[in-house]
């Protein structure tokens, strides 16, 4: 199989799909032109992510990494969630094919974007945290993308 | 797991039982090398020449105009190489092609561009068909080759080959056509259509993989691509893959004999698919609905991505194909869908189903029930679909 069992499980039975209408933070990254968009919703109480949901347009690994990322940050503090790396998502999924690693980067950035939105809405200073622009064709692919263009 | 429903016959086909049986003696009975002097070798040689005659007849070519190759890609590479060798000798270094050729053609042309050839890529418009007037306009005194596919491999649209042939003959330009998807499916007559070179591949019409042929009209100087032996009248070295060559010849003969019947059968099932799946809102047929191969279905569904669609269809037992970037292994979605003007985000959500004579009515009914379900499921989790629904993003389909 092209994907690991874990990836296929999260693709077939994605955890935390949907939207949170009264979310405290919403983050969206990716670009439909490139074939992936991820949107994350978070509910935050006392600095803890009490609920998280996602919507994803993308390939199998885009859906699986979104699902896994939500699992990894649910119930965690915002600081812990900000420390989530794409590598942790890849490892939790028992690996991804090399040309799919960019999906895990998107998942990491989507979580961060939701937290940034929460900070911004609540006037919490977040200058010390590094966020991506959100308008990417997958950071891992950005270089290739420039060359292609 | 549900029963396997194979709807990817444009990728490859099942070897028919007749072909399989016909091939078997060549593995352990008639296994001689056609180049060997003794009778056992000459027996193989005789079969090789019969196969050549069978293939020639199916194309209305002469027997000595057929060269066996390893498949469609080699045939395309060889034809273009040979035609441009002729062009170079006459100091003609301009080639005309279409934007949506197979990569076996496009990548070969890219290489030639680096070597100083100029290539004009004709647009294929929203219907996936080149315009003859645009071909005429593109012809220059130094045009040495026109290479335009007979039928497109993704969307199945059939090009005006007869007219292209007429124009090329009038202008004394070599006309090559990649007919890999067309041969055995629609009528091909190289003489009448004034085709100078034609590529075909055995496994697209229930023959074996790894074998193909190149037709080269008598009088066209054919330079060698593969050196090292006297096979194929000294033009293509390498011991002939006789089991496969024989299998391809039998398969082609069968395909041509039952072409009308099979085409009518496939067309009926294919149009059922179009009619039913066109009811999915914000979907569109890719390429002209009628001027296309009878077994080709290709549609885009807005708001979803093709790889997820294929994985879920696979879970439902359906083998299909898509032009999304994720399935092509590159960043961009299919160059074919971009060439017919589909925006990137829509091209990612395409589905190709290609039928065969083995496809059943029950299978089509099942697919018709399954595809809308899967599209719906993916749309419900898609932020793009959400934006379309809320009017934040504009529908293009």
């Amino acid at each position: 199989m092209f994907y690991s069992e874990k990836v296929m499980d999260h693709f077939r039975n994605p955890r935390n799909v949907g939207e949170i209408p009264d979310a405290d933070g919403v983050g969206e990254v990716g670009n439909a032109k490139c074939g992936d968009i991820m949107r994350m919703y978070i509910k935050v109480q006392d600095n803890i992510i009490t609920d998280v949901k996602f919507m994803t347009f993308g390939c199998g690994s885009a859906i699986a990494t979104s699902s896994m990322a939500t699992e990894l940050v649910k119930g965690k503090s915002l600081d812990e969630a900000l420390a989530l790396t794409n590598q942790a998502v890849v490892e939790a999924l028992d690996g991804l094919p090399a040309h799919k690693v960019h999906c895990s980067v998107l998942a990491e950035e989507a979580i961060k974007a939701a937290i940034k939105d929460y900070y911004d809405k609540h006037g919490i200073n977040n200058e010390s945290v590094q966020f991506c622009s959100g308008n990417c064709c997958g950071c891992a692919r950005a270089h290739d993308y420039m060359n292609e263009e | 797991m549900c029963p396997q429903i194979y709807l990817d016959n444009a990728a490859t086909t099942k070897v028919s039982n007749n072909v399989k049986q016909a091939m078997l003696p060549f593995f352990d009975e008639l296994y001689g090398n056609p180049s060997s002097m003794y009778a056992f070798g000459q027996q193989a040689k005789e079969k090789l020449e019969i196969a050549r005659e069978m293939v020639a007849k199916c194309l209305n070519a002469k027997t000595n105009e057929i060269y066996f190759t390893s498949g469609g890609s080699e045939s395309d590479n060889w034809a273009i190489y040979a035609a441009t060798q002729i062009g170079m000798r006459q100091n003609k270094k301009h080639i005309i092609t279409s934007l949506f050729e197979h990569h076996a053609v496009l990548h070969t042309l890219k290489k030639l561009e680096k070597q100083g050839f100029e290539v004009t890529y004709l647009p294929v418009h929203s219907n996936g068909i080149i315009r003859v007037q645009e071909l005429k306009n593109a012809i220059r005194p130094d045009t040495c080759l026109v290479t335009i596919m007979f039928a497109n491999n993704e969307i199945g649209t059939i090009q005006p080959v007869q007219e292209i042939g007429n124009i090329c003959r009038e202008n004394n330009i070599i006309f090559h056509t990649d007919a890999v998807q067309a041969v055995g499916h629609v009528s091909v007559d190289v003489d009448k259509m004034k085709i100078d070179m034609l590529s075909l591949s055995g496994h697209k019409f229930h023959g074996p993989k790894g074998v193909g042929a190149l037709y080269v009209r008598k009088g066209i100087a054919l330079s060698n691509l593969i050196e090292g032996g006297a096979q194929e009248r000294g033009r293509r070295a390498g011991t002939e893959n006789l089991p496969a060559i024989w299998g391809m010849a039998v398969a082609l003969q069968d395909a041509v004999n039952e072409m009308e019947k099979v085409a009518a059968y496939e067309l009926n099932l294919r149009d059922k698919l179009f009619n039913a799946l066109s009811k999915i809102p914000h979907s569109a047929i890719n390429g002209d609905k009628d001027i296309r191969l009878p077994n080709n279905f290709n549609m885009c569904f807005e708001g979803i991505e093709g790889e997820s669609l294929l994985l879920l269809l696979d879970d439902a037992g359906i083998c299909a194909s898509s032009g999304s970037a994720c399935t092509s292994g590159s960043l961009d979605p299919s160059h074919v869908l971009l060439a017919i003007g589909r925006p990137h985000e829509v091209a990612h959500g395409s589905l190709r189903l290609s039928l065969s004579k083995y496809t059943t009515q029950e299978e089509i009914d099942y697919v018709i029930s399954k595809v809308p379900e899967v599209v719906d499921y993916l749309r419900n989790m898609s932020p793009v679909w959400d934006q379309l629904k809320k009017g934040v993003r504009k529908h293009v389909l």
Side-chain angles (χ1 to χ4, degrees):
Chain A
M1 183 66 199
F2 181 71
Y3 287 127
S4 71
E5 275 302 312
K6 266 271 185 56
V7 172
M8 285 310 290
D9 175 39
H10 276 263
F11 167 69
R12 290 185 179 119
N13 313 293
R15 280 60 148 180
N16 309 307
V17 181
E19 51 184 322
I20 302 175
D22 60 340
D24 297 313
V26 182
E28 187 173 297
V29 296
N31 185 327
K33 191 174 176 250
C34 308
D36 332 87
I37 292 191
M38 289 183 196
R39 192 193 290 169
M40 296 278 180
Y41 301 86
I42 53 170
K43 282 295 278 184
V44 181
Q45 208 173 2
D46 301 330
N47 244 21
I48 301 289
I49 298 179
T50 55
D51 197 10
V52 52
K53 288 217 184 313
F54 80 90
M55 291 182 86
T56 289
F57 162 85
C59 58
S61 62
I63 292 171
T65 53
S66 313
S67 167
M68 182 53 87
T70 60
E71 287 276 273
L72 292 174
V73 301
K74 203 171 182 176
K76 298 280 166 64
S77 71
L78 292 175
D79 285 344
E80 284 172 314
L82 280 174
L84 175 76
T85 63
N86 78 298
Q87 203 46 46
V89 175
V90 173
E91 278 165 23
L93 286 168
D94 294 339
L96 279 178
H99 67 286
K100 297 290 188 177
V101 171
H102 71 273
C103 292
S104 66
V105 178
L106 275 180
E108 174 194 328
E109 296 301 342
I111 296 282
K112 286 184 173 159
I115 295 172
K116 176 171 169 46
D117 183 55
Y118 168 78
Y119 282 157
D120 289 345
K121 278 179 182 158
H122 293 77
I124 299 165
N125 184 306
N126 55 63
E127 275 167 15
S128 60
V129 189
Q130 218 188 339
F131 296 103
C132 79
S133 67
N135 180 25
C136 55
C137 268
C139 297
R141 294 195 292 181
H143 183 67
D144 288 344
Y145 185 66
M146 306 298 268
N147 286 342
E148 288 273 327
E149 291 288 280
Chain B
M1 176 127 177
C2 298
Q4 194 86 338
I5 296 176
Y6 188 75
L7 289 175
D8 203 13
N9 289 283
T12 194
T13 58
K14 168 168 131 175
V15 171
S16 73
N17 188 48
N18 188 37
V19 168
K20 187 172 81 179
Q21 296 305 328
M23 287 172 71
L24 288 178
F26 289 90
F27 290 102
D28 53 3
E29 291 169 30
L30 281 162
Y31 60 85
N33 189 324
S35 300
S36 297
M37 277 299 298
Y38 41 77
F40 185 53
Q42 289 309 299
Q43 225 180 330
K45 172 83 179 167
E46 204 175 295
K47 290 288 187 188
L48 178 69
E49 294 315 314
I50 294 172
R52 200 183 308 281
E53 197 181 331
M54 285 158 73
V55 171
K57 269 192 181 146
C58 290
L59 304 172
N60 195 22
K62 295 184 194 80
T63 304
N64 61 4
E65 292 175 324
I66 302 297
Y67 298 85
F68 292 119
T69 67
S70 63
S73 294
E74 185 192 325
S75 296
D76 285 342
N77 273 261
W78 192 7
I80 294 169
Y81 172 73
T84 51
Q85 287 295 109
I86 297 170
M88 280 204 293
R89 286 197 289 270
Q90 302 170 345
N91 212 17
K92 291 179 173 180
K93 295 180 89 174
H94 175 241
I95 302 166
I96 302 171
T97 188
S98 82
L99 269 172
F100 73 170
E101 294 296 309
H102 190 276
H103 286 127
V105 168
L106 288 181
H107 289 181
T108 305
L109 295 179
K110 280 273 168 269
K111 203 163 74 179
L112 286 165
E113 280 180 310
K114 284 183 190 151
Q115 295 166 10
F117 277 83
E118 274 184 76
V119 181
T120 301
Y121 298 88
L122 297 179
V124 292
H125 306 280
S126 59
N127 63 353
I129 299 171
I130 67 132
R131 291 189 188 152
V132 172
Q133 189 56 48
E134 287 174 340
L135 168 65
K136 282 185 188 163
N137 296 345
I139 291 175
R140 312 193 318 205
D142 63 339
T143 305
C144 64
L145 170 68
V146 169
T147 172
I148 291 174
M149 66 202 324
F150 203 113
N152 183 266
N153 49 310
E154 286 185 39
I155 61 174
T157 50
I158 297 169
Q159 305 306 307
V161 172
Q162 177 74 69
E163 288 167 87
I164 299 170
N166 291 343
I167 293 165
C168 289
R169 195 62 59 86
E170 277 162 27
N171 289 277
N172 200 22
I173 298 166
I174 294 176
F175 171 36
H176 164 251
T177 186
D178 170 355
V180 165
Q181 295 290 336
V183 168
H185 296 272
V186 292
S187 164
V188 174
D189 183 328
V190 291
D191 185 50
K192 179 173 147 272
M193 293 170 162
K194 299 195 172 65
I195 296 165
D196 295 314
M197 296 172 132
L198 175 144
S199 307
L200 67 92
S201 172
H203 71 115
K204 306 293 191 184
F205 43 79
H206 306 292
K209 294 165 184 63
V211 65
L214 176 64
Y215 152 81
V216 182
R217 189 168 60 82
K218 202 169 181 299
I220 292 177
L222 183 62
S223 318
N224 296 6
L225 193 62
I226 300 176
E227 303 287 356
Q231 292 88 355
E232 300 299 291
R233 298 187 296 289
R235 294 283 182 265
R236 198 257 187 196
T239 300
E240 302 86 347
N241 182 358
L242 194 51
I245 289 171
W246 187 258
M248 172 172 72
V250 171
L252 183 55
Q253 214 170 43
D254 288 352
V256 169
N257 285 340
E258 58 188 19
M259 187 181 288
E260 271 180 51
K261 201 183 79 193
V262 170
Y265 176 76
E266 289 170 340
L267 197 72
N268 173 44
L269 293 180
R270 196 276 311 279
D271 284 345
K272 272 186 183 153
L273 279 175
F274 270 147
N275 292 338
L277 298 182
S278 292
K279 288 183 187 136
I280 294 176
H282 305 290
S283 63
I285 294 171
N286 292 316
D288 193 284
K289 187 172 176 289
D290 300 309
I291 306 173
R292 69 197 290 141
L293 296 172
N295 70 335
N296 176 288
F297 165 100
N298 195 315
M299 284 187 75
C300 277
F301 304 106
E302 214 175 0
I304 64 165
E305 192 280 332
E307 190 203 273
S308 323
L309 178 65
L310 294 193
L311 288 170
L312 291 173
L313 290 177
D314 187 24
D315 278 352
I318 301 166
C319 302
S321 167
S322 171
S324 86
C326 283
T327 57
S328 69
S330 76
L331 185 74
D332 282 319
S334 133
H335 70 290
V336 173
L337 298 175
L338 297 178
I340 62 165
R342 295 285 180 225
H344 278 69
E345 60 270 32
V346 172
H348 285 296
S350 77
L351 175 67
R352 180 186 73 181
L353 302 171
S354 41
L355 289 59
S356 82
K357 60 180 177 181
Y358 299 114
T359 307
T360 67
Q361 174 70 54
E362 291 71 34
E363 289 174 337
I364 294 301
D365 289 341
Y366 175 73
V367 171
I368 286 172
S369 73
K370 209 72 203 172
V371 172
E373 213 175 276
V374 173
V375 170
D376 240 26
Y377 169 81
L378 287 172
R379 279 179 171 174
N380 280 333
M381 73 160 83
S382 162
V384 175
W385 185 248
D386 185 58
Q387 289 171 346
L388 290 164
K389 247 180 10 189
K390 289 175 178 155
V392 183
R393 178 189 284 272
K394 270 199 175 150
H395 280 290
V396 283
L397 300 185

